[in-house]
Structure formats: structure tokens, C-alpha cells
Amino acid sequence: MYTFVHRKDELTYFTTDRNGYRMFKSNPEHCKSCSMLTQCTCSKNHQKVLTRHVWEESKEWVRQNRLSKSGKYLYRLRYETIERSFADAKELHGILYCRLRGRANVQEQALMTATVQNMKNIAPHYLVRLAK
């Protein structure tokens, strides 16, 4: 499945805990004779243990994408598009404070706000079609 190279030894997959962390362990027989043992691990059984969350690979991919040239360009556009939409929802459509209590009512208000915002975006295109 997954393996990590540690010095000359491999850290092999051991288990995944309930919190979603994968554990990789080294072979203690190889680590006993290693000159870097004291810098690598403090464990009494001479075993290196590495833990990584199951989403770590995806997070690394997103981080690399965001730091690429096209990712930086798109991130700058975020303020003009997505953040603007949330600002309009808060200022013009009252999403800052929900009028009702309960999850279902809050979801209904959010969906109604999104519907209104979509209608406002569609209306200019519809008016251009009517003018033709």
C-alpha cells in the first residue's frame, strides 16, 4: 500500500487508528545497528514510528497547486468572486444573523439566499435574450 524510505530501511504500513492516522513502522532489527538511531528515535524498542493523516496526500496536492503560478493567479481572483458573493449575502440578504433557529430553518434561509443570488446573476443574461 504505502511505504516510506527511512535512511536505508523502509517504514511499512502498520495500521490506521480511529482518528484517521496511518501508522508506519520500521524494522527494529535494522534500526538497532544504525549509527543515526539516537537522532532518529528515542523508543526503547529501537523502532521509528511515522504517523500521517489519511488526507495528508490530498492536502499536499492542494498546497502544491495553490503555490503554483496558475494557483496564485486563481487565488487572487477569489476576492472578486467568492468573497464578494459572501459579502453580498451578509450585507444585502441578512445571512449575518439567521432569523430562525434550528438546522433545517438555517439551511432553508441559506438556500433561499443562494437562490436569490443566482437569480440576480441570471437576470441580466435573460434580459439580453428578451431584447433580441
Side-chain angles (χ1 to χ4, degrees):
M1 188 169 148
Y2 293 98
T3 57
F4 291 94
V5 175
H6 171 69
R7 306 283 180 221
K8 295 175 184 170
D9 191 20
E10 282 188 351
L11 298 177
T12 54
Y13 174 75
F14 179 68
T15 188
T16 303
D17 67 6
R18 292 179 183 215
N19 296 322
Y21 286 92
R22 291 188 181 118
M23 293 177 66
F24 301 89
K25 292 186 176 185
S26 67
N27 185 351
E29 297 302 318
H30 293 146
C31 290
K32 277 183 187 178
S33 60
C34 181
S35 62
M36 306 292 283
L37 179 66
T38 56
Q39 296 173 353
C40 182
T41 183
C42 298
S43 69
K44 292 180 180 171
N45 63 352
H46 309 294
Q47 190 172 40
K48 173 74 174 179
V49 178
L50 175 74
T51 57
R52 283 176 56 95
H53 198 271
V54 292
W55 294 338
E56 198 65 34
E57 242 178 81
S58 299
K59 287 168 44 177
E60 287 174 1
W61 181 82
V62 168
R63 193 174 298 117
Q64 285 178 348
N65 189 21
R66 182 178 54 88
L67 296 175
S68 69
K69 189 174 182 178
S70 61
K72 288 179 181 180
Y73 173 74
L74 290 173
Y75 195 75
R76 273 185 272 149
L77 294 179
R78 177 181 175 178
Y79 297 105
E80 300 170 11
T81 55
I82 297 170
E83 300 294 335
R84 173 96 180 164
S85 174
F86 283 113
D88 285 347
K90 284 167 49 176
E91 291 179 16
L92 304 174
H93 301 290
I95 203 80
L96 187 60
Y97 299 106
C98 293
R99 292 178 176 82
L100 303 170
R101 297 289 175 250
R103 183 177 177 193
N105 291 331
V106 171
Q107 281 183 333
E108 182 179 340
Q109 182 180 350
L111 289 172
M112 290 297 287
T113 301
T115 303
V116 168
Q117 285 185 305
N118 287 338
M119 290 167 66
K120 284 171 53 178
N121 287 336
I122 292 170
H125 301 289
Y126 183 70
L127 292 174
V128 168
R129 289 181 111 193
L130 283 177
K132 287 183 180 177

